[in-house]
Amino acid sequence: MEGFFAAWLFVTGLVVGSFLNVVIARVPEGLSIVRPRSRCPKCGHVIAWYENIPVVSWLALRARCSGCGTPISARYPMVEVLTGLLYFACLRRFGWTYELVPALVLVTLLVPLTFIDLDHWILPFSLTLPGIAAGVLLAIPRGGDALLAAVIGAAGGFLAFRLMEYVGWKVFKKEALGAGDKYLVAMLGAFLSWHALLGILFLASLQGAVVGSLMLALTGRAGPASDAPGDSETPEPTDVAVDPEPTMTWDFTRSGLPLWKRLLLFPVCLLFQPIPDAPLDEEGEEEEWVPGPTNIPFGPWLALAGLEVMLLGPWLGSVLPSNMALLLGAG
Ligand SMILES: [Zn+2]
């Protein structure tokens, strides 16, 4: 019986993964995820229900559209299997307890966020903001302390990344972090509490740096190229840091205010001072940001680290030296 329910959860993961493929394709384009029915992008052939069975249909169709024979990417069944396996891993970690619920919700958010960030270098608010709310709300049944830890996790994660963004802009005169990363960190902090944040940041940076360096050495790029229109035409990414001074600063630190007022207002300034996503060109329109060869999207690494801390936390605590485990919040 145990095995039957585990298999059922895995299959549920496959079906959810099939839906997440739709989310990954449509949310960045601002399209509805409910209507219309999925079609072949090449010939417009409407995908029948029996052609939409996770993994099975992809294999039965031999990875081709039944209308025109256009190859169907192996990423569709991959996302389905990945979601199924992660659902199964959550069950192994938490069993049929309440903790399984927030774990499954987090997986269901992290899978599309990861692939959208890989494809488009964005983390849509339509996923991260409801995600933060869900993380906090799902902490309520755990009791007051856990709810507080979730709220501190969300606020602390956001503020820490906001601070790094600010420092990156001031010191390196460029955008060091994607603007959406702080919302993803806030979401992870809400689901996994502030205890997990340091470990997540450590694992994400370490793994991102190692894999990014390897990819840079092997392929000449640390991250995926963007699909932004004009990416292929523009031979060289235009110098992103053309104008190091943000055009729309609201800078208390340099205004004529007395020092004590500036110090008092500094936290406010951190939170609300706008950091432009891209420098404005002569027409005053934002230039399309094009990822350079050394840029890596941080979202997928944050997502991976969050899953590692959630699913492997106790195991990490048992294999790592105790001071290290404490740092990772697994002690
Ligand atoms: Zn087709």
Side-chain angles (χ1 to χ4, degrees), residues 165-320:
E165 201 175 41
Y166 181 82
V167 170
W169 182 256
K170 283 284 165 193
V171 178
F172 304 107
K173 302 288 181 205
K174 63 178 178 188
E175 208 182 346
L177 290 162
D181 288 338
K182 54 186 179 291
Y183 298 93
L184 176 56
V185 175
M187 190 182 103
L188 290 169
F191 273 96
L192 304 173
S193 98
W194 64 270
H195 302 277
L197 284 177
L198 204 57
I200 290 172
L201 190 59
F202 174 78
L203 287 172
S205 313
L206 181 73
Q207 294 171 122
V210 169
V211 176
S213 315
L214 277 176
M215 275 180 66
L216 192 62
L218 293 173
T219 67
R221 284 199 74 90
S226 103
D227 63 344
D231 193 19
S232 46
E233 289 113 72
T234 33
E236 271 294 298
T238 42
D239 190 9
V240 178
V242 195
D243 175 11
E245 279 306 311
T247 357
M248 334 163 359
T249 17
W250 184 41
D251 196 345
F252 285 113
T253 52
R254 280 194 214 164
S255 61
L257 291 169
L259 181 66
W260 68 272
K261 274 192 185 166
R262 275 189 256 169
L263 286 177
L264 270 183
L265 284 170
F266 186 67
V268 183
C269 171
L270 269 189
L271 263 181
F272 295 109
Q273 182 180 351
I275 294 178
D277 286 338
L280 305 178
D281 61 18
E282 291 95 71
E283 288 91 51
E285 282 173 26
E286 275 197 6
E287 281 171 31
E288 183 85 47
W289 179 81
V290 179
T294 56
N295 290 114
I296 60 167
F298 202 38
W301 297 111
L302 287 169
L304 177 67
L307 290 174
E308 286 167 342
V309 168
M310 179 174 78
L311 297 171
L312 306 175
W315 177 77
L316 283 175
S318 66
V319 293
L320 292 173

Side-chain angles (χ1 to χ4, degrees), residues 40-45 65-70:
C40 166
K42 195 78 172 235
C43 69
H45 164 78
C65 167
S66 66
C68 65
T70 303

